[in-house]
Amino acid sequence: MAHETIIVETRGKVGLITLNRPKALNALNSQVLAEVVAAASAFNADPGIGAMVLTGSEKAFAAGADIKEMQAMSFADAYTQDFFIGWEEFTRTRKPIIAAVAGYALGGGCELAMMCDFIIAGDNAKFGQPEITLGVMPGMGGSQRLTRFVGKSKAMDMCLTGRMMDAAEAERSGLVSRVVPVAELAEEALKAAAKIAEFSLPSVMMTKEAVNRAYETTLAEGLRFERRLFHSLFALDDQKEGMAAFVEKRKPNFSNR
Ligand code: CAA
């Protein structure tokens, strides 16, 4: 598939998706949505890929949903199309996706980063939910996911005032897993993804599924779900290989079986 708003590359076993609408600071219009969803889905289906990185430019991961595209939209349009529902498919990607965020991650940009499995931020990153300044509110998950990441008080502060959070505050409050110098962001994110891609794919995918279940269920059900997945991994060659390699003091050679 030809892409106009993103760049799609592979680096070994890692799929790299780069948002590429520099003139609009990577604002997320319907074409970006379609292309990102298709690229993630293609990497998900590709047996040669073990993990993905989603990134933007040094100035902007993404400055939000495309305001110019939304400006004239009516309530009837928004409601009948179930506007933004398309991003749900992205969140159903089963292989891990790391968001590598430099510069602005605002509105839908912050929300897209939060749809990924974890966020590595460059030290110039700025996160925010400024929809309130436009007379609207978060619509791609900000009020729900940001609250789960940073708690009620900070989520209310961000969504109600529209202020931005810098990388240090984002790390302090649990929104991002690590902050690195912006010049090293791509390399660090690709390194983390390459490491994940070396592990046994079924155990990686089940780990992602189990952590995500923590957001959807009670602790007792989540623990049971985790144990059942854990048990099922003993049916795989990779469990035997991983544990044998440890005992024999060698590197494991996983077959994803
Ligand atoms: N949609 C459409 N175009 C955008 C955009 C967006 N979200 N953000 C930036 N752009 C465009 C600007 O209109 C401008 O285009 P022109 O050159 O044609 O005028 C270009 O990108 C560069 O932007 P600026 O000149 O504004 O750059 P700056 O460096 O002065 O400011 C900024 C950067 C602070 C990020 C500023 O662009 C900004 O505030 N952008 C909007 C942020 C925002 O409100 N995001 C939320 C969108 S709503 C949403 O996301 C809903 C949801 O929940 C999903």
Side-chain angles (χ1 to χ4, degrees):
M1 177 182 173
H3 303 101
E4 289 172 7
T5 65
I6 60 173
I7 298 167
V8 178
E9 299 162 90
T10 52
R11 304 283 168 87
K13 294 183 190 166
V14 176
L16 173 62
I17 303 172
T18 305
L19 302 170
N20 186 36
R21 289 186 77 206
K23 288 188 184 139
L25 300 184
N26 293 332
L28 306 167
N29 63 12
S30 34
Q31 188 176 1
V32 179
L33 163 61
E35 291 186 0
V36 169
V37 167
S41 167
F43 280 141
N44 198 59
D46 182 341
I49 295 294
M52 292 164 236
V53 171
L54 175 66
T55 195
S57 70
E58 194 166 320
K59 173 149 190 203
F61 175 74
D66 192 312
I67 299 166
K68 292 164 189 167
E69 189 180 66
M70 290 185 290
Q71 188 181 4
M73 193 163 61
S74 68
F75 164 73
D77 293 336
Y79 180 76
T80 54
Q81 290 170 37
D82 204 357
F83 193 58
F84 291 145
I85 185 73
W87 287 109
E88 277 199 12
E89 194 179 332
F90 180 75
T91 66
R92 285 196 290 269
T93 310
R94 295 178 71 211
K95 289 176 186 169
I97 308 181
I98 301 172
V101 174
Y104 296 113
L106 302 178
C110 185
E111 293 166 304
L112 177 57
M114 291 190 290
M115 286 179 212
C116 298
D117 298 308
F118 61 95
I119 302 173
I120 302 182
D123 53 11
N124 72 340
K126 284 192 183 300
F127 297 87
Q129 298 292 157
E131 291 90 342
I132 198 84
T133 68
L134 301 167
V136 289
M137 60 175 281
M140 278 169 54
S143 67
Q144 305 302 300
R145 291 200 177 90
L146 188 64
T147 307
R148 283 165 162 82
F149 274 101
V150 305
K152 176 183 169 184
S153 188
K154 212 174 264 287
M156 284 285 193
D157 179 0
M158 302 295 295
C159 294
L160 288 173
T161 69
R163 79 171 174 88
M164 294 186 207
M165 200 192 264
D166 66 17
E169 184 180 0
E171 186 179 32
R172 240 181 7 253
S173 44
L175 177 57
V176 311
S177 70
R178 14 179 160 155
V179 178
V180 299
V182 67
E184 293 160 28
L185 176 64
E187 184 193 331
E188 287 296 321
L190 287 167
K191 208 158 59 175
K195 183 170 187 142
I196 294 167
E198 288 301 317
F199 298 134
S200 171
L201 184 62
S203 67
V204 164
M205 289 171 68
M206 285 191 205
T207 301
K208 170 168 171 164
E209 198 175 350
V211 174
N212 280 334
R213 187 58 72 95
Y215 285 97
E216 304 286 350
T217 192
T218 62
L219 179 60
E221 277 309 310
L223 291 171
R224 217 156 75 99
F225 181 73
E226 179 196 77
R227 269 199 319 279
R228 294 293 174 254
L229 289 181
F230 175 76
H231 298 157
S232 73
L233 287 170
F234 286 78
L236 295 182
D237 295 344
D238 281 346
Q239 173 269 327
K240 303 289 176 279
E241 169 61 12
M243 293 192 181
F246 176 81
V247 172
E248 291 159 19
K249 300 187 189 301
R250 60 173 174 82
K251 272 191 75 168
N253 182 17
F254 292 123
S255 60
N256 296 338
R257 309 214 74 79

